[in-house]
Amino acid sequence: MSANPTRVGADPHLAIIQPVAPPARRVCVECVQLATPWVHLRQCLTCGQVGCCDSSPMRHARAHAATAGHVIVRSIEPGESWRWCYVDEQFV
């Protein structure tokens, strides 16, 4: 994933986005609890939960999307400002 991807188009899941505050801590809490590493962090744009990315061993952000139905995330990596829909596998 690049830092400035082109938005592909209107995604029907954008309606689930809610205002979320920036995360208080830049960690994957589940990885911390399991003592597993992460690569990058993603924030759920429905509830604000932070999870690790698909390049991380545990893929907690994707697991949260699957179980909670909160399918739009944003990167919280410095210099990145993109959003991703796990259902449609596209930038939104």
Side-chain angles (χ1 to χ4, degrees):
M1 289 185 227
S2 65
N4 295 310
T6 303
R7 293 213 165 98
V8 175
D11 185 290
H13 302 100
L14 290 173
I16 67 169
I17 292 176
Q18 298 293 316
V20 296
R25 295 177 48 204
R26 293 180 42 83
V27 300
C28 177
V29 173
E30 292 178 271
C31 283
V32 170
Q33 291 170 346
L34 296 169
T36 58
W38 66 83
V39 178
H40 298 290
L41 298 171
R42 310 294 179 238
Q43 183 177 32
C44 173
L45 288 178
T46 301
C47 69
Q49 179 172 318
V50 174
C52 57
C53 70
D54 284 354
S55 297
S56 301
M58 302 305 288
R59 302 171 69 178
H60 287 121
R62 183 175 290 272
H64 173 73
T67 59
H70 301 169
V71 299
I72 307 284
V73 295
R74 71 178 183 103
S75 173
I76 59 169
E77 295 302 313
E80 295 184 349
S81 61
W82 51 264
R83 301 179 304 186
W84 180 257
C85 176
Y86 285 115
V87 172
D88 296 310
E89 295 290 324
Q90 69 178 2
F91 294 104
V92 294

